[in-house]
Amino acid sequence: MKRIITIQDISCVGKCSLTVALPIISAMGVEASVLPTAVLSTHTAFKGFTFRDLTSDIQPICDHWKQEKIHFDAIYTGYLGSFEQLDLMHKLVADFGGGDTLTIVDPCMADNGKLYPGFTPEFAFAMAKLCGKANVMVPNLTEASFLLGIPYVESGYDEEYVKDVLKKLAALGAQKVVLKGIQFEQDQQDLKGVAGKIGIAAYDAATGKFSWYFHKKMPVSFHGTGDIFASVLTGALMRGLSLEQSYTLAADFVVESIKQTLSHENYNWYGVDFEAAFPYLLGRL
């Protein structure tokens, strides 16, 4: 059985970060080891949440793993809350990455044109260096703009713009780039029928190949769906699916999870019912 390590925070209530990564990757038949970077009572959309930083525990845990000669088939980083944690991830990748071990970086730091509270352009520049160590990086369009230090373009862009962003992201050092949240206002020459839809654009720097996948845009958005996407992508890659198959499955599972959530009149506001969509996910594997 493949074993991955995922490094991100854990919210005791709230469907995001480790509370989605662990069950999703495990359900996909992949051993999910975890390295919590912080413990929160709830995720940050709640008011008055508690927070305990676990940065000081990261290196001793890694040292013990090295002592035990533990091997990981993939390293998957999610939300990282400080420059110190970024530095520790560089060391973790150096110690446990390389060879056949995939490094997957989800630069969870921004959305809808803005950085998350507490983050700065300087942090985004430092995150870009970690993305450069990745075999696969998984930013959204907002994160891409901050990683590259370019203005965020919300709409009106075309296929060539997206391709240019993908190439610039790959130039940071990542072998493959999966860019989320792509929307075209009008049909593009090579992408007929995607107007009004939302989806994925990907680029493989080794082959120079671009690929795309679009689906119906759901009427609402929920906290944690980016973490669900990255977790399914990681699990699928570990199951031997291609990059295209992996991000397609990840996007479809997010949509199915939202559908399951909206099927209830009084659905949870703080996250999607991804658990109810597991039969769909396992049926696709």
Side-chain angles (χ1 to χ4, degrees):
M1 180 181 290
K2 298 284 188 179
R3 177 195 294 130
I4 71 101
I5 173 65
T6 180
I7 308 101
Q8 48 191 310
D9 65 281
I10 183 165
S11 296
C12 298
V13 173
K15 301 182 182 185
C16 64
S17 302
L18 285 183
T19 54
V20 301
L22 179 56
I24 287 174
I25 293 169
S26 298
M28 296 178 75
V30 178
E31 181 181 342
S33 304
V34 301
L35 180 51
T37 58
V39 178
L40 294 81
S41 56
T42 65
H43 64 54
T44 56
F46 288 83
K47 295 180 180 179
F49 59 87
T50 67
F51 176 90
R52 181 173 295 276
D53 182 30
L54 299 179
T55 301
S56 62
D57 294 304
I58 292 175
Q59 193 55 55
I61 290 171
C62 291
D63 290 341
H64 183 222
W65 290 342
K66 287 181 67 177
Q67 179 182 331
E68 295 296 323
K69 297 181 171 55
I70 294 174
H71 171 76
F72 300 109
D73 296 291
I75 299 165
Y76 157 34
T77 69
Y79 183 94
L80 301 169
S82 67
F83 287 95
E84 185 178 359
Q85 289 185 358
L86 287 176
D87 290 340
L88 287 166
M89 291 309 100
H90 282 280
K91 188 174 189 311
L92 186 149
V93 171
D95 288 343
F96 297 98
D100 295 331
T101 299
L102 286 180
T103 297
I104 301 158
V105 175
D106 183 4
C108 302
M109 62 179 184
D111 204 359
N112 298 315
K114 298 180 180 179
L115 287 164
Y116 294 154
F119 289 148
T120 63
E122 291 75 19
F123 182 88
F125 178 74
M127 177 63 80
K129 292 182 178 179
L130 181 62
C131 289
K133 300 289 182 66
N135 298 102
V136 183
M137 61 181 294
V138 195
N140 60 39
L141 201 54
T142 298
E143 289 159 346
S145 68
F146 282 105
L147 290 169
L148 297 174
I150 61 176
Y152 169 65
V153 179
E154 182 178 5
S155 61
Y157 50 80
D158 59 13
E159 179 183 348
E160 290 308 311
Y161 173 83
V162 176
K163 287 182 175 179
D164 182 60
V165 169
L166 287 166
K167 287 182 177 179
K168 288 177 178 177
L169 289 169
L172 295 174
Q175 297 172 12
K176 298 177 181 180
V177 181
V178 177
L179 184 59
K180 303 175 293 182
I182 303 302
Q183 300 181 73
F184 292 113
E185 294 180 344
Q186 299 178 349
D187 290 350
Q188 302 299 310
Q189 182 177 356
D190 297 322
L191 297 171
K192 296 297 184 184
V194 304
K197 296 184 178 180
I198 190 168
I200 310 300
Y203 177 63
D204 186 330
T207 64
K209 178 184 176 182
F210 295 94
S211 56
W212 313 79
Y213 179 67
F214 290 88
H215 57 80
K216 178 182 177 181
K217 185 177 180 181
M218 301 303 290
V220 293
S221 59
F222 286 94
H223 195 96
T225 52
D227 300 329
I228 292 172
F229 180 93
S231 298
V232 175
L233 177 78
T234 299
L237 290 172
M238 289 296 95
R239 289 292 299 264
L241 276 66
S242 69
L243 183 68
E244 291 82 358
Q245 291 172 324
S246 298
Y247 67 64
T248 298
L249 177 59
D252 288 346
F253 181 68
V254 169
V255 171
E256 181 63 23
S257 297
I258 295 174
K259 288 179 179 178
Q260 290 288 341
T261 307
L262 297 180
S263 69
H264 305 290
E265 183 178 355
N266 298 314
Y267 57 80
N268 292 324
W269 63 268
Y270 56 82
V272 296
D273 296 339
F274 69 91
E275 302 93 336
F278 273 148
Y280 173 85
L281 176 63
L282 301 183
R284 288 278 301 269
L285 287 175

